Amino acid sequence: MSQSRDELHELRLKLSGENTSHQKEAVKQVVAYMTVGKDVSSLFTEVLKCMTTDDLEMKKLVYLYLMTYAKFKPDLSILVVNSFIQDAKDENPLVRALSIRTMGSIRVEEVTEYLCQPLRRCLKDDDPYVRKTAALCVAKLFEMDPELIESQGFIDDLLELITDSNSMVVSNALAALQEINSVASKPVFVIDKKNLSKILNAMGEANEWSQVFILDTLSTYTPRNEREAESLIERIIPRMSHKNAAVVLSSVRAILQFMSNIENKKVLETYYRKMAPSLVSLLTNPPEVQYVALKNINLVVQKYPTILKGSHKVFFCRYNDPTYVKMEKLEILIMLANEDNVEALLKEFKVYAQEVDVAFVRKAVRAIGLAAIKIPSATQRCIKHLLSLIKSQIHYVTQEVVVVVKDIFRKYPNKYESIIGTLCNSLTTLDDIESKSSMIWIIGQYADRIENSEELLESFLETFDEENPEVQLQLLTSTVKLFLHKPEDSQELLQDVLSTATQESENPDLRERAYIYWRMLSTDPDVAKEIILGEKPLIEGTNRKYHIDLLETLLFNIPSLSSVFHKPPENFVTNIKVFLREDEEIENDEEGILQVEEQREKEEEKQQEETTTTNQTIGSLIDFNSESKQQQNQNTQQQKSTHVVQSQDIRQNKNNNQDEYGMGLSQMNVDIPKKLILDAEKGEGLEIKGIFQRRENSIFYELSLTNKTQAPIGGFACVFNANSFGLKPNGWLLDGVLMPMQTRGSSLPCPIETSHIKHQNNQISNIVQIAIGKDSQVYYCQDEVPFHVLCTEDGKLGRSEFLKAWKDIPDEVESLKEITDLTESNSNIVKLKLENKNIFFVAKRKADELEIMYFSLKTEMAGFVLLELAIDPNSNSIQLATRTNNTDFVEMLELEIEKILKEY
Amino acid sequence: MIKSLFILNTGGDIVLEKHWQGRTGRNIISQFWNELTKGNRTKDLPPIIRIRRQTLIYIRKYNLLYLVVADQDTSPLMFIEFLNRVIEVFSNFFSTEPTETSVKENLPKAFELLGEMMDNVFPVTTESSMLRDMIGATMKSTPNTIENSKKFATLSSDQVGGLPWRRKNIKHSPNEIFFDVIESINATIERSGKCLNSEIISKINCECKLSGMPTLTMVFNNSSILEDVSFHQCINLDTWERRKILDFIPPDGQFELLTYRSNRMQTQIPLYTSGRFNWSKKKRRGKFEVILQLRNSLVKSIENVSVLIPLAQGCSSPSIKTTNGAVFFNDQTFELKWEIKKMPKNKEVSMKGSIKLPSKGSIPREKPVAIITFSIEGLCMSGLKVTNLNISKLKKKIFKGVKFISKSGNFTLKF
């Protein structure tokens, strides 16, 4: 510990010294410390002084330091700004660019304002390198403060750069505009006839990354006619041979987009032919690139099934391919299967089915089945392979074969029945739902041809009550089929099943289906037979996994995450765009909510009651008698009001902590004044201040301990009594000894443990009773847990999730509270204050005078909580509506929100 | 959009973290690590995953794991390619492959490089030769002062003017350029020796020490071999599209000019391979035999041939006979390696033997594979030849050369 203090001291001396080489060494060392998470923020002033250096390398390191720490030293950031502004005027273009770049990355609001002037100058700089850097900076700032950027006219400056004489500047300006488009409420830039040729020229000269941005921008352009589409494609085709896979993929996307404007089959055919080798070439890259490529190829092949004709061998799995690559390759192989290659593919599939990875093996078995369904001429061979796989006696292989055989029967009814015998012999090993129901289906369907079908079915029926609903439904249907085939052998069986299903089952689907069968059979068995055993529609082997609309969306989003996860982009994008665009819709949705809610059943209420029962049986860790408890209560309350700690003290304290113990960066944001929980008198010379805080997804009890005696104190321990939130300290209160008059800080992680939940006097309370031990003495005290520390970082709901959740909670459960006498009711400030405490903004709308805001938060014990704040700016008051499935904590939460909003 | 980059070691500890937009808590790293190591399937986690509404994209190289965190819809391939480029640049600047030690030793330089390579979310300068001018490495040789601003003015214009991959005023003496055509044969061979499938993945590496701004044209005997081709960005793609010749101003130093893939071979696979492997349930032993023979009349000899058989966990006590070469068994990784320094001509070589399975546990269901490696100089499997290499704009005498190497890629024998 003291060693690190010495080091810091030495660094400080070197930094403020005159020797430049020592200075540089020191800066390097500081940066090295910073990267391993050591706190070197205390050297801020000294490092800042080094900014005036003439050494570019050192300057860069100083900038790097500033980028990391400026946030935590907003009071000093004005000093930083001045140096930046100086550097932005430097005669060296590299320094000008560096300063603009760094300023854009600092992300401290105070700095943003000062940045405008130098930024404007740099956008018009003589040096193209500075201009291009400034262009990117505009995009960065837009994300932080779109209004500022728009009002300052920076967008127009960017648009002007599109016509810049330097192609690098053009491509960077395009990249910036595209980035802004992706977060802005409405596009600030569209390609039109005028700028198209400029953009195409820039693409020819741009570096690989800019090419990606340009191609992606280009893809959004709609060609005016077929000829233009063709000429665009011709321009892009050469890019498909680029070494950078990202360029290739963006080219493919752009070409696919433009191809939809072309009707001429012959022309399209030539484009396919050119695209195929590029797609295939992507597979010569490292596995990570292959994975993305395969995901995208999958989409392209779904849309254009013949595009990779004859290339199937490329997708054969290698022994050292990672499983995620193998799975994707297999999927594509299935799509590529045809009459010509099926022989080779089956051979591969069979080898795959003998590998070790269970998921891959199952998929390989499926692949054989799909080939059988897709290519009738190969079915016989497929079945041969499947039979030999059953003989391997490996249970997951057998299970998969059963599922596959069922599908084959659904495609080719009454053919290939010879396989049934073998299947029936391997029944015992079925334990997953799908294969079980498949087997049961087969037994029912072929009940007349399987000799002992009633016996087989009976053995499944033994465990009817324990089965999954899906299996139960299948058992019901198959028993009915069996009865229709062999009424004399199975009447009893049917009776049993029908009565169990109608009388004992709690599953309405099962009940209802059983009733329907029952009625059909009792009304007219012949008609029933005709219906139940009638011909079924055949299943088709198709290449297309996704609906054409989804497929088009995915293809349009080719280089993005959508094309990897095969989900539409809404699933990932959680930025402002969605909210702003859909602001108006929310009002309409509101009416929808009401309608739906009126029709809702109130079953959930029951569930809520069940979930709130808590563990009452856990005994106290500390033996409090109720009297002393009350006493303590009063005591602490008194202390709270009288001993408000001066914030200056705390700052000192904090600096102490960091310098001496080199706390990591992540532990820096301890700036809330701690409360006195144990005074020196009661603690016999030990004074403790504490506060609950949340950071990095965990709850900490931040403590500072002062020894006011003349002797060292040691042997510290800290225990919490079971409390409403289940907080339980995990770790040492303080290591070692506290010297006389010394103050030391401690961060005690307090994870939530369900076994530690207990409501004192059966009432939910935010008071935690604490026992502090020192040198075998125990002191009792208590502290209040601010509710917001329980709000987790992942509490932000998407707009649609929020709406759904809101609808799911009945109106009656909603709790209302009026918060009045606010000093400030600006919605932005409300948002800021709440988001600071992990209460996340979801959406906003206006209703007459009121501003309605929606927030979500999540706690470990109560799940998601939904908030509606109706702000009346005239009276500075807020109507708060809270909806949650667990209403126990609502009152506490409401108080907390009032407190947060009234906080300065 | 990309927020942060983390480099992790094999134990999941952070070696380096770089943040472009705010700070990403280290918390997500531990969650990622849990996900990665879950169920001992370390190698199976796809390179792109979602954790808590964030997108994590990672690649591995040299025992390090490079991970970027993004929070919006983004182009994953771009960042995967960017990470690959980071590794390439690190290797160049650290003069060794980036490992935990070399990254830690070069931390300030690594940060400087990352700062230049990506501005906010935009990859910018990622070519080593250009970065060399931006980063301290060369600055040490010139006075480290800003007064030297003329130099910087040309530096900045190098960045944006003309070519992203080559700066002006390069001087070399002597002037020379060499090409290595390296063809890797991927093949899967059946136990009978029949080739199930094969392809050639090739690349042309170039080492260029030419002064000024030379323009090169390269003509091939048969351009159709280069049907599946990917080019370095210096190659004029339009000229290739129209005339099927390579037209380029090369970067300075070493670079990969192009890669191509072909499944047409002009000549026989030079090494004949066959073998068998069987698990004997009774004896709990695996019995095997591997046979190799040189069989291409164009090839005089192959050196350094090796056969690697990864065996099931717990295998032990090999008993092996070979006609040539030596056999090593690693009892930590359970790999059996047969090395033949020099393959004789017109003669079969073989390895025959058995290995013991652990006394408990099931008999492995699948048979192992044999991974065969070799390398032959002067042989070109695809039949590609450079018929003409022309260098313009350079008056001086130039040394130039093209060398061919054929070697094994993923060359496996399935027993």
Side-chain angles (χ1 to χ4, degrees), chain B residues 141-190:
Chain B
S141 60
T142 57
N144 260 332
T145 54
I146 291 178
E147 288 156 19
N148 203 350
S149 68
K150 246 193 204 158
K151 178 181 160 62
F152 291 119
T154 55
L155 254 183
S156 74
S157 73
D158 265 349
Q159 288 292 310
V160 284
L163 307 175
W165 61 89
R166 190 181 179 92
R167 65 197 154 91
K168 291 168 191 149
N169 305 322
I170 296 173
K171 284 204 177 75
H172 282 290
S173 179
N175 278 284
E176 49 187 28
I177 183 158
F178 297 110
F179 297 91
D180 285 345
V181 181
I182 301 165
E183 300 201 324
S184 304
I185 307 160
N186 290 342
T188 312
I189 314 286
E190 266 186 345

Side-chain angles (χ1 to χ4, degrees), chain A residues 829-878:
Chain A
I829 291 180
V830 167
K831 181 182 158 193
L832 254 166
K833 280 182 172 171
L834 291 178
E835 290 221 309
N836 226 345
K837 307 278 194 233
N838 283 346
I839 301 170
F840 297 97
F841 173 69
V842 178
K844 186 165 102 171
R845 69 183 170 104
K846 270 213 151 71
D848 301 325
E849 297 276 33
L850 297 177
E851 271 199 285
I852 318 259
M853 300 176 81
Y854 295 92
F855 290 86
S856 69
L857 66 94
K858 195 181 160 195
T859 59
E860 271 186 54
M861 66 281 177
F864 277 105
V865 180
L866 315 172
L867 304 173
E868 184 197 52
L869 273 73
I871 306 175
D872 184 356
N874 297 326
S875 66
N876 270 342
S877 68
I878 289 178

Side-chain angles (χ1 to χ4, degrees), chain A residues 24 28 35-37 53-57 60-61 64 68 71 90-95 101 107 127-129 132-133 136 139-140 143 166 168 175-176 179 183 207-209 212-213 237-239 241-246 249 274 277 280-281 284 286 288-289 291-292 313-314 316 318-320 322-324 347-348 351 353-357 361 394 396 559-562 564-565 569 571-575 665 696-697 793 796-798 801, chain B residues 1 15 17-18 20-23 25-27 31 41 43-50 52-53 55 58-60 71-78 80-82 84-85 107-108 111-112 115-116 119-127 134-136 139-140 144-147 149 152-153 155-157 159-162 164 186 190 194 196-197 199 201 227-233 237-238 240-241 256 259 261 365-366 369 371 410 412 414:
Chain A
K24 192 166 166 179
K28 274 191 180 169
T35 53
V36 293
T53 177
D54 284 347
D55 183 330
L56 193 58
E57 191 188 357
K60 280 185 191 165
L61 292 174
L64 183 69
T68 315
K71 251 201 166 139
D90 196 281
E91 56 176 312
N92 179 345
L94 287 186
V95 174
R101 193 171 71 201
R107 306 175 86 77
D127 193 295
Y129 181 67
K132 111 177 177 174
T133 311
L136 295 183
K140 282 186 243 178
E143 224 193 307
N166 185 298
M168 251 333 243
E179 197 58 48
V183 288
N207 77 15
E208 45 196 321
W209 311 109
V212 174
F213 282 110
I237 277 178
R239 323 259 135 238
S241 309
H242 203 290
K243 201 171 155 278
N244 188 320
L249 203 55
K274 297 209 160 161
V280 169
S281 289
T284 56
E288 293 90 358
V289 176
Y291 174 73
V292 181
K313 280 189 177 173
V314 182
F316 283 173
R318 300 217 175 87
Y319 79 96
N320 57 350
T323 307
Y324 59 79
K347 229 171 164 179
E348 282 287 310
V351 174
Q354 286 161 353
E355 290 204 11
V356 255
D357 191 291
V361 168
I394 293 156
Y396 54 84
S560 73
L561 284 180
S562 299
V564 175
F565 292 114
N571 289 31
F572 316 104
V573 186
T574 46
N575 59 15
L665 254 189
E696 309 239 20
N697 228 348
E793 275 75 358
K796 189 173 175 83
L797 283 177
E801 294 164 76
Chain B
M1 266 210 282
V15 178
E17 54 182 307
K18 163 91 183 161
W20 281 278
Q21 296 188 331
R23 255 191 105 72
R26 290 179 165 212
N27 215 14
Q31 286 196 22
R41 293 158 49 100
K43 293 240 158 67
D44 294 345
L45 187 71
I48 303 163
I49 56 162
R50 300 269 298 166
R52 288 194 300 151
R53 285 162 189 273
T55 306
Y58 78 95
I59 67 171
R60 296 163 194 278
D71 69 344
Q72 283 177 33
D73 202 0
T74 176
S75 164
L77 200 49
M78 182 152 141
I80 292 176
E81 285 289 60
F82 176 75
N84 279 317
R85 207 59 63 84
L107 264 186
F111 274 107
E112 223 183 329
E116 293 296 342
D119 183 3
N120 197 23
V121 295
F122 309 98
V124 250
T125 314
T126 51
E127 287 284 322
M134 315 281 298
I135 305 297
M139 247 163 236
K140 277 178 191 151
N144 260 332
T145 54
I146 291 178
E147 288 156 19
S149 68
F152 291 119
L155 254 183
S156 74
S157 73
Q159 288 292 310
V160 284
N186 290 342
E190 266 186 345
K194 196 180 141 207
L196 274 181
N197 58 64
E199 60 174 358
I201 308 279
E227 204 167 87
D228 296 357
V229 66
S230 308
F231 294 121
H232 185 273
Q233 59 169 329
L237 298 171
D238 295 313
W240 172 259
E241 193 64 28
E256 193 178 284
T259 57
R261 194 194 135 268
R365 197 160 68 87
E366 77 287 348
V369 293
I371 303 150
N410 269 308
T412 49
K414 280 191 180 170

Side-chain angles (χ1 to χ4, degrees), chain A residues 312 315-316 329-337 345 352:
Chain A
H312 58 274
F315 299 95
F316 283 173
K329 280 188 171 172
L330 189 49
E331 187 131 310
I332 291 173
L333 283 176
I334 297 167
M335 294 200 283
L336 295 178
L345 292 191
Y352 302 163

Side-chain angles (χ1 to χ4, degrees), chain A residues 702-797:
Chain A
E702 303 288 355
L703 292 154
S704 81
L705 294 84
T706 310
N707 180 356
K708 297 206 163 168
T709 64
Q710 296 304 315
I713 307 178
F716 293 103
C718 177
V719 194
F720 289 1
N721 212 347
N723 50 73
S724 294
F725 303 126
L727 293 178
K728 192 176 177 186
N730 175 12
W732 295 101
L733 174 61
L734 204 62
D735 228 344
V737 171
L738 198 58
M739 297 310 284
M741 297 323 281
Q742 189 189 22
T743 299
R744 278 173 66 182
S746 167
S747 263
L748 206 55
C750 298
I752 294 177
E753 287 198 23
T754 36
S755 60
H756 209 56
I757 293 178
K758 186 178 180 184
H759 303 309
Q760 298 297 329
N761 304 333
N762 283 334
Q763 273 197 341
I764 289 183
S765 147
N766 58 353
I767 303 287
V768 173
Q769 295 161 340
I770 303 163
I772 305 261
K774 70 149 212 230
D775 295 329
S776 72
Q777 287 270 13
V778 180
Y779 304 98
Y780 298 111
C781 51
Q782 61 178 22
D783 200 355
E784 218 176 272
V785 182
F787 192 83
H788 70 79
V789 305
L790 302 161
C791 302
T792 54
E793 275 75 358
D794 56 356
K796 189 173 175 83
L797 283 177

Side-chain angles (χ1 to χ4, degrees), chain A residues 211 215 277 442 769 813 859 861:
Chain A
Q211 286 192 27
L215 283 164
I442 294 171
Q769 295 161 340
V813 183
T859 59
M861 66 281 177

Side-chain angles (χ1 to χ4, degrees), chain B residues 91-108:
Chain B
S91 318
N92 278 331
F93 273 80
F94 304 166
S95 317
T96 165
E97 52 194 42
T99 57
E100 182 173 1
T101 333
S102 69
V103 171
K104 278 188 171 158
E105 275 169 7
N106 290 287
L107 264 186

